[in-house]
Amino acid sequence: EALKVMSTFGSQMSEEYVSHLYPLQEKRQEFCDRLNSAVEESVIEKIGSKYKFVHDMVQQAVYELMSPKERAECHFQNGVKMITALSCCADSHSDLGLITFVAIDQINIAKSFGVTDSSMCTQFAKLNLKAGESSMEKFNFMSGFSYIEHGISFLPKESKWNSSSYDLYRSLHEAACLACYVNALPTKANEYISELLENAQCLEHKLKAYYVMVKNLTSSGDFKQALKKTFDVLIELGETFPTEITPEIMQEELSNTKSLLNNFTKESILSSPKLMDEK
């Protein structure tokens, strides 16, 4: 049984995984004793703090000893146990570490087999959002998009945009728009953009979708439409622009800007804080 659990993590399993699966010392020691017996029988080997199958074929054989349902249940229980252990930590999920990603992966694999817990779906969606955003911050946009899509899949279709899950679903869609754009998936990006624009409750909640829309249009070479959409959004934000730019208008605007900046030095402008207003 210990080898079956180990096989759900791939070719190797660290002692850190074990400590999160079995927080109680007695259970943890029992599990490690079984793995150590397998080490003595040369089924797996111990390298530092990691247990490793002697060959990928051995891992695959052990994994396939379980039925699809058993694999799904094992993945799910692994994920829930690890998430529960992490939730007991003071800084749980504030800075996602490897264990958190491993736990989320286990939950997502279980769902691909059709096994999950509806009472925990919102929590799973939030964790996938955090994992997706964390991945994209590290420029791993393919993995980020995968986590975001998993996060969306955990939310019930009939209540995706209701008041209780609105902010979470909007955040997932905003992240999905950006991930699709960076991963050169314009059609998929447009699908998320359309749904976000259709369901967003106010203009501010549409801005990230508009941003990706303009980037998409620019990337496809449709500069005219990108410029038009940019001006449309600025007008909605209260910024008006003349329909025809003349040298006189340009001179007036430059003079006004210069007057506004008369009391500022270059250094004071560069050291100014960023605007906090989302508009």
Side-chain angles (χ1 to χ4, degrees):
E1 290 301 316
L3 288 177
K4 288 180 180 179
V5 172
M6 180 179 164
S7 73
T8 60
F9 291 94
S11 63
Q12 61 185 27
M13 180 183 195
S14 73
E15 289 180 340
E16 189 178 8
Y17 293 9
V18 178
S19 66
H20 283 82
L21 281 172
Y22 303 99
L24 296 178
Q25 175 64 31
E26 183 180 347
K27 291 287 186 181
R28 183 164 62 248
Q29 188 59 54
E30 180 182 343
F31 184 81
C32 287
D33 286 344
R34 291 178 178 177
L35 291 183
N36 290 329
S37 295
V39 172
E40 293 174 3
E41 295 172 10
S42 299
V43 177
I44 61 175
E45 54 189 353
K46 181 80 179 294
I47 303 174
S49 62
K50 293 181 178 179
Y51 291 96
K52 185 176 181 180
F53 282 99
V54 294
H55 195 282
D56 289 343
M57 295 297 290
V58 176
Q59 181 268 332
Q60 190 65 27
V62 173
Y63 189 67
E64 291 180 355
L65 286 174
M66 297 182 284
S67 68
K69 183 179 179 180
E70 288 173 324
R71 293 175 210 162
E73 290 291 348
C74 191
H75 282 297
F76 184 74
Q77 290 303 320
N78 290 345
V80 171
K81 286 178 182 178
M82 296 175 92
I83 288 170
T84 302
L86 286 166
S87 67
C88 297
C89 301
D91 299 322
S92 174
H93 313 317
S94 57
D95 182 21
L96 299 191
L98 175 61
I99 293 296
T100 310
F101 281 97
V102 171
I104 298 169
D105 287 341
Q106 291 288 309
I107 292 295
N108 291 344
I109 293 170
K111 190 172 189 301
S112 71
F113 281 101
V115 173
T116 190
D117 182 342
S118 58
S119 68
M120 300 180 74
C121 280
T122 298
Q123 181 183 5
F124 297 154
K126 288 179 178 178
L127 285 170
N128 271 288
L129 174 60
K130 288 184 178 182
E133 291 176 335
S134 180
S135 295
M136 290 192 287
E137 285 172 4
K138 298 177 176 67
F139 305 103
N140 190 345
F141 288 92
M142 285 301 293
S143 291
F145 182 47
S146 176
Y147 285 119
I148 296 302
E149 284 203 307
H150 274 105
I152 291 173
S153 73
F154 277 106
L155 295 177
K157 292 183 178 180
E158 64 276 7
S159 60
K160 289 189 296 189
W161 290 98
N162 65 20
S163 57
S164 63
S165 59
Y166 173 80
D167 288 335
L168 174 58
Y169 208 66
R170 176 170 63 88
S171 295
L172 284 163
H173 269 64
E174 288 174 346
C177 290
L178 179 59
C180 286
Y181 167 70
V182 177
N183 288 318
L185 300 169
T187 302
K188 196 73 174 174
N190 286 332
E191 291 176 10
Y192 285 115
I193 289 169
S194 296
E195 187 167 356
L196 185 51
L197 293 178
E198 182 181 340
N199 293 281
Q201 295 176 353
C202 60
L203 176 60
E204 285 75 10
H205 293 175
K206 298 179 181 181
L207 292 180
K208 290 184 179 179
Y210 281 135
Y211 169 78
V212 177
M213 178 188 290
V214 170
K215 298 289 284 184
N216 253 349
L217 289 167
T218 303
S219 296
S220 65
D222 194 347
F223 300 108
K224 185 177 180 179
Q225 188 61 31
L227 192 61
K228 180 182 182 302
K229 179 53 64 177
T230 300
F231 279 114
D232 287 345
V233 174
L234 287 171
I235 289 170
E236 284 194 72
L237 289 168
E239 297 291 338
T240 57
F241 296 88
T243 55
E244 186 176 339
I245 307 297
T246 64
E248 290 77 19
I249 292 175
M250 292 179 64
Q251 183 60 46
E252 182 182 354
E253 290 298 324
L254 287 171
S255 297
N256 290 339
T257 302
K258 184 177 180 180
S259 297
L260 290 170
L261 295 175
N262 274 340
N263 296 324
F264 295 92
T265 64
K266 179 181 177 180
E267 289 71 23
S268 65
I269 294 172
L270 293 174
S271 62
S272 298
K274 293 182 178 179
L275 287 174
M276 301 305 292
D277 189 340
E278 289 188 2
K279 288 187 178 181

